[in-house]
Amino acid sequence: MNTYKNQPVVGLFITCLADLYRPEVGFATIQLLEDAGCKVEVPSQQTCCGQPAFNTGDFKQSAAIARQTIEAFDGYQYVVAPSGSCISMLHHYPELFDEKDPWKKRAEDLKARAFEITSFLVDVLQHSLSPSTFNSSITYHDSCSGLRELGIKDQPRQLLTQVEGVEIKEMQESETCCGFGGTFCVKYPDISNRMVGNKTHNIVDAGATTLLGGDLGCLLNMAGKLQREGHDVDVRHVVEVLAGMTDQPALGETKSTVKAG
Amino acid sequence: MNITSPDFKENARIALKDVGLQKALGNVKTGFPHKRATAMERLPEFDQLRDEARDLKNHIIEHLDLYLEAFEAKVLENGGHVHWCRTSEEAQKTILKICQEKNAKTVTKGKSMVTEEINLNEYLEANGVTPVETDLGEYILQLRGEHPSHIIAPAIHLNLEDVSETFHSHHHKPKSMDPAVLMQEAREELRNKFVAADVGITGANFLVAETGSSIIVTNEGNGDLTQILPKTHIVVTSIEKVVPTLEDMTLFLRLLARSATGQEFTVYNTLSTGPRQEGDQDGPEDYHVVLVDNGRSEMIASELREMLRCIRCAACMNHCPVYGAVGGHSYGWVYPGPMGSVLTPQMIGIEKGALLPNASTFCGKCESVCPVRIPLPKLMRYWRRNEFEKHLTPKTSRWGLGIWGFFAKRPALYRQLSKLSNATLRALSRKQARISKLPLARGWTEHRDMPAPSGKTFMQLWADKQQGQNKPQSEHYS
Amino acid sequence: MSKAEILGQIRRGLGRTGATETARNAVSARLEAKQANLIPARAQLPEKACQQLFIEMASEAAADVIELKNIKLLPKAIATWLAEQDIHELVSAEDGPLSDICKQLPDTLHIRKGVAQAGDLASLTTAFLGIAETGTLMLYSRPDSPTTLNFLPDNHLVVLNRQDIVGVYEEAWAKVRGLNQGKMPRTVNMITGPSRSADIEQKLQMGAHGPRRLAIFLIG
Ligand code: SF4
């Protein structure tokens, strides 16, 4: 894969939350892709994947956004995002169009090219990471869409074992929803709070220094709860560790507690 | 029963603060999922059986009219009766009429969610027939004047103390905190009722078209005593329960107990085929099957058709984190959890059931455990779409979505909006890297902090970088 | 008429007016073929292994399995089992060897034939089959084996011949169809262990409404 002749050209789907909250996640993703021999571009016509509209039942709006995204990523061999949830949404696009609609085929085509970053590195590129170190014990939250719609479970763990110094301490119920659920957390705050409370309990019990995951929505939710409860657990997107980009403070922190080697 | 689904949020809020309920719900979370996982591990073919079960159910629904006719013909041939009922009211009247013809004073009842659905107990009682629930959980609830909070473990919301208290006040025996003693009390109380009942009403887990049989699956044996002791047996069930042959029923039985309680097989799987036969010394003299539609046949035309595959195993609610947090009663009608969030709007109307399909993070756990692979999140989304199109979605959501959509469809403006939000959030965080109060997101910040953006937006930094400006990484909290 | 309306609504949903020829054929073919679906490998075993599996699974389901070399040992085994429970009465079915067996039981035992009554302490029946897959007994109703015997008494004693153990449910259905020229008995009971309930705080208790104990006397 590292030959430049057949260099895969990847369009980065940045995702709203990485764009808004944590640009480092975007840069880490680009670095991982470039290390794996890809040429990365960031199409400027992209916005959101449309999931808020889709899950509110506004299929017309979802379809409009889907068409825009399909066009924005036309011609890219692959579309990669640091989020299982947004990529799952891209995989839902075909459901938005009738059999006869020419967009249906284009949506199917996009679906076939769209991958979450850890799954892209492991399943598509079969890539081994460049040497890096992260001296910390970590615990991993399996975000729902990635896990159940895209089958992402071993890929991030497989990559993490390639990072020197990482010790994985699995939490109980790592596959249980953290209660984020997009707009769910503001529509049903009390229930969401109970769910994230159960989650932080399991995270703290695992006794790891750092919580990692592949979806910023869930990570912001868990980080916010851990901080409100006063727990000292760093929260990061998994790509930051995989790319060795852990100089910046963890989510919602002012200084970095774990130093990269 | 009183429908409180429109108050889901308030119900949930109260449930979350109910210490006893929360303790009881803890038992669901640790018990059923673990047992199901063990049962699955012991049967390597489990997932293949699920595929076959899904396909077979699809085949049945595509031929539902014909299998129902075949079933009816067999029941008649065996000397039984079949009653077709479109609505709850029709079913209530039909059942009452049979009871009255038999001069029935009391009827014993095996566990049946369809009789809950048609509100049978209240109706019979109002018309001078006393129903006696015999499933231990249902019996406890009947004494307490409550409804089931779970489709296979009806009293799962109660703790030992609650049952102890209830029995003490109804059985006039010394108060006991020993579950074995309490069960013995119920056994003794109900024994005479079984014998004295004029009519026995059970549900059916499946109806077999080949033989005209109904089957019930119970661990207690109450369903059997209900159907063999009285002179009349009425099976109250719904139209989607029919299966072609005994072999086909077997496919579902292999999945049912394992998905439900994690048992290898339920203790009693009993096939009933018509009334007492010549020379038989016991068994009912009359066998009636009441087939309830209640909105099911309408589901065939829509995406909801897939819901008709449901075999009522309860795996979806046993694994649902929302159900686990708020319990079954919060859902406000007969069917709770993910399967209820799909079925209830169909049966009580989407106007009343509107909140239920929204009360899900779409985590997908339910679909991943469903033995007949019903895409429950997709079907909840079907309702959300329906609500959106009928303008039932709350106005604030619609406006918010409209404004957001306006920007999302205009990339350049969207960039500006992200930039603005980013700058605002960072300003609000006052270099604290997190925000503990955010006026427009109180639902969030009431319970947790909001991490602040770590720098400018990615798109800003990327543009800067493309233009040769460097060091995007070091600009924290600039 | 409700029936016509329900069937009509179903057909509208399926996008057809009546039953098409193809649909009819598909249904009668399936009803006719009685074909097995996927059968798990677990109980597709040689005879001996099947019998062993039955014993294991029934024991796991909390049944008491008492193995006897031949039927001659049965009266003594029944008497001992009842004595251990301090039970001095028995209500029995009348099929197969049971009448004979009852004659050989001790005089101190009060024996009745026929249906069970509330308050009966123990019943004796035969089982039609044992199903190894889950340690399940199959019984069916008939004039000389009333069904109340299987549910009302506190203890259910069942006689099962070792050669009547089959591997999987499908084999059992084939044999059920062989009874009474294919006419189904009024009831077929599949019984896997004694009655139980976990309705009080999810704590499993034995003996809810059916028998508290299930004793299987396995002959041969
Ligand atoms: S929807 Fe599926 S998991 Fe839920 S009760 Fe029905 S069959 Fe079971």
Side-chain angles (χ1 to χ4, degrees), chain B residues 305-326:
Chain B
R305 181 196 289 199
E306 299 200 65
M307 194 60 213
L308 294 175
R309 292 204 297 265
C310 177
I311 59 170
R312 305 291 192 266
C313 72
C316 56
M317 61 196 77
N318 291 342
H319 290 79
C320 175
V322 175
Y323 179 96
V326 303

Side-chain angles (χ1 to χ4, degrees), chain B residues 154-194:
Chain B
I156 203 155
H157 57 285
L158 298 176
N159 290 300
L160 180 57
E161 301 88 83
D162 305 316
V163 182
S164 165
E165 201 47 64
T166 305
F167 279 13
H168 177 59
S169 60
H170 284 88
H171 294 166
H172 312 294
K173 294 223 170 88
K175 199 169 160 189
S176 169
M177 282 292 280
D178 181 349
V181 172
L182 294 170
M183 196 168 75
Q184 175 64 21
E185 278 183 28
R187 184 181 167 105
E188 282 165 17
E189 288 285 330
L190 283 168
R191 199 111 302 226
N192 298 326
K193 307 224 157 124
F194 278 125

Side-chain angles (χ1 to χ4, degrees), chain B residues 151 307 310-316 339 366 369-372 374 376:
Chain B
I151 62 172
M307 194 60 213
C310 177
I311 59 170
R312 305 291 192 266
C313 72
C316 56
M339 56 84 77
C366 48
V369 296
C370 176
V372 284
I374 297 173
L376 293 150

Side-chain angles (χ1 to χ4, degrees), chain C residues 87-171:
Chain C
I87 294 172
H88 307 283
E89 55 167 74
L90 185 68
V91 50
S92 175
E94 299 167 87
D95 58 315
L98 294 183
S99 296
D100 237 27
I101 299 291
C102 284
K103 280 185 202 131
Q104 298 169 56
L105 288 171
D107 295 342
T108 47
L109 210 57
H110 181 256
I111 297 173
R112 204 179 75 231
K113 303 279 170 65
V115 299
Q117 312 286 350
D120 284 343
L121 292 179
S123 62
L124 177 66
T125 71
T126 58
F128 174 47
L129 297 169
I131 303 165
E133 183 168 1
T134 45
T136 300
L137 294 170
M138 183 178 275
L139 288 76
Y140 68 94
S141 60
R142 52 197 184 279
D144 50 11
S145 189
T147 306
T148 38
L149 293 177
N150 309 342
F151 293 97
L152 261 181
D154 279 5
N155 298 277
H156 186 194
L157 288 68
V158 183
V159 183
L160 173 68
N161 288 319
R162 197 176 270 272
Q163 71 264 24
D164 290 335
I165 294 175
V166 297
V168 300
Y169 312 122
E170 283 80 355
E171 293 171 67

